Amino acid sequence: HYEGDELAFHWHARGVPLCSDYGVYQGPSGGQDAHNVVEVPALDGIRRGFLTEQELDEYADYLVGELPGLIRFFEDTPEGFRDPDAPRYSQKYNYLDHETPLGPKVWMRRALLFVKPHYLVLLDDVDGVTPSRFNIHCVADKVRAKRDRVEFAGRFGMDLTVFVAAPVRFSALTGRHDPKRGDVDHSQRFVRISGDGGGNHYHTVLYPHRPGEDVGFRSLGDGAGVEVSGPCGRDRVWLARDRVECRGRDHAFVGQAAFTRETGKRVELHLIRGDHLSAGGLTIEGDGPAHACRTGSGEIGVRTAGAARRIVLRDAAPRVVRSASAGVAVGGQGHELRFDVPSGRHKVVLG
């Protein structure tokens, strides 16, 4: 059966069930509105999504899925979103009827970045002339929508905050969803987000946290980046559909997916899809994925995966290089290392 769950995800976060996908064929849970997906009304149920990109390692998981679809006019006219609690009625056409009038084609794309160990970043786009809405379900007892976020009070000691970077202005419908009517014990709270004035682009951060744990969010204003502050430190995370160039006072990124993390004097760079990333005076260039970390003790670690690649590493701090590696240039205000990095871990000790 086709249950409208392509591009959905099921998430146990920090040891507890948080965003569940029922996957049942009964009651109100047989359509897109029961899943953690971007929903399009009257989307043909006979369809298949596919995975187009993936990059998995100890720092982050990066996945991209795409779904071609077709709108079908089961009532002879374009349809909007239905109230799941409204009485069922007979459609003029069913999903197997070859005489159903056809509407426009759509192309759906979801990029998912799991920034370990804590949170998800989602980037969703729907190409085509159709309304859409972004659905998230949480194992929670309460849900509240605020100016730029939605807050869920979790059922098992883990709350969820959904920060909405795009659309900037949106409407949020909240409520309770049961896997079958009256099954309150297994219910979840949901939010359905629609952009004010239309639009089919959604950029969100899903952050699980203990009740009372301080978590902050701020869009970086470049259309792709979000600053996230939490127990792990201060992160800047970028996720874009196409290659972007984002530059700020103390950071820069060129590519599609990356994040930085600063905790005290420690600086981490995680270049997943791209070729330039910098923060805290540390820069890494090359064909990602590549990771670099500078500790307060003067060590810089480099981690790569896959085939060997050319990496350029720059540190703005004035140091003396005590490495015999070839291709090292020393400047008065820092240093630059150029080297071919095989897969694995590497450590550079600087005095």
Side-chain angles (χ1 to χ4, degrees):
H1 292 288
Y2 298 84
E3 310 303 340
D5 58 353
E6 293 90 352
L7 307 183
F9 64 90
H10 183 93
W11 190 20
H12 280 231
R14 298 175 70 175
V16 302
L18 195 65
C19 294
S20 291
D21 197 298
Y22 295 115
V24 299
Y25 188 56
Q26 60 179 327
S29 297
Q32 283 185 296
D33 61 339
H35 306 292
N36 299 312
V37 297
V38 172
E39 180 184 0
V40 171
L43 190 64
D44 188 4
I46 302 177
R47 60 186 187 269
R48 273 290 180 255
F50 51 95
L51 185 68
T52 58
E53 294 183 61
Q54 69 172 357
E55 200 68 59
L56 313 175
D57 62 31
E58 62 189 282
Y59 306 104
D61 293 341
Y62 171 71
L63 301 166
V64 177
E66 301 190 44
L67 171 67
L70 178 66
I71 306 298
R72 300 179 72 185
F73 297 150
F74 298 103
E75 298 297 335
D76 263 348
T77 59
E79 300 178 22
F81 295 105
R82 297 180 179 177
D83 181 356
D85 295 324
R88 293 278 177 173
Y89 61 91
S90 177
Q91 296 175 330
K92 184 172 181 178
Y93 304 95
N94 65 52
Y95 75 102
L96 294 177
D97 197 330
H98 68 278
E99 295 182 351
T100 306
L102 302 181
K105 296 179 180 179
V106 298
W107 192 277
M108 306 175 70
R109 181 185 187 273
R110 162 164 284 179
L112 182 151
L113 179 63
F114 176 32
V115 179
K116 299 179 180 179
H118 276 121
Y119 61 93
L120 295 178
V121 185
L122 300 177
L123 187 70
D124 291 284
D125 289 283
V126 180
D127 297 333
V129 183
T130 179
S132 67
R133 63 184 183 185
F134 173 87
N135 296 336
I136 287 294
H137 300 76
C138 182
V139 182
D141 294 317
K142 296 180 181 178
V143 56
R144 179 178 64 168
K146 301 174 70 174
R147 181 179 59 86
D148 59 358
R149 66 197 64 189
V150 180
E151 297 175 341
F152 293 90
R155 191 170 300 158
F156 298 105
M158 188 64 61
D159 294 348
L160 176 68
T161 296
V162 179
F163 175 72
V164 183
V168 176
R169 291 180 293 276
F170 63 89
S171 300
L173 172 67
T174 60
R176 192 188 80 199
H177 186 95
D178 303 336
K180 59 181 179 179
R181 298 189 188 282
D183 187 0
V184 180
D185 292 339
H186 298 93
S187 67
Q188 295 190 88
R189 293 304 191 270
F190 67 76
V191 63
R192 318 217 187 282
I193 293 173
S194 302
D196 293 346
N200 293 320
H201 174 72
Y202 305 90
H203 184 193
T204 55
V205 179
L206 282 61
Y207 200 109
H209 55 91
R210 302 291 182 189
E213 206 167 50
D214 189 24
V215 181
F217 308 91
R218 180 177 68 88
S219 292
L220 294 177
D222 53 25
V226 176
E227 183 176 282
V228 181
S229 301
C232 290
R234 182 182 67 164
D235 291 5
R236 296 186 185 94
V237 55
W238 290 270
L239 193 57
R241 181 172 181 172
D242 301 308
R243 177 185 170 91
V244 295
E245 295 188 18
C246 306
R247 302 186 186 278
R249 181 179 56 85
D250 56 352
H251 65 268
F253 167 61
V254 179
Q256 290 176 272
F259 74 97
T260 69
R261 175 164 294 164
E262 297 180 60
T263 309
K265 295 183 178 181
R266 181 184 179 92
V267 178
E268 299 178 30
L269 306 181
H270 302 281
L271 184 62
I272 300 162
R273 280 284 189 273
D275 50 36
H276 179 100
L277 182 62
S278 65
L282 187 64
T283 300
I284 189 168
E285 292 181 353
D287 184 20
H291 312 272
C293 174
R294 185 188 66 210
T295 67
S297 63
E299 293 184 352
I300 298 179
V302 179
R303 176 82 160 89
T304 63
R309 65 202 67 211
R310 174 59 58 92
I311 295 295
V312 178
L313 188 65
R314 298 188 182 93
D315 187 4
R319 302 173 187 268
V320 176
V321 180
R322 296 178 179 173
S323 172
S325 301
V328 176
V330 182
Q333 294 301 316
H335 67 269
E336 177 179 293
L337 293 88
R338 296 175 180 265
F339 47 91
D340 293 320
V341 183
S343 179
R345 293 180 180 273
H346 312 276
K347 183 171 69 174
V348 181
V349 180
L350 305 171

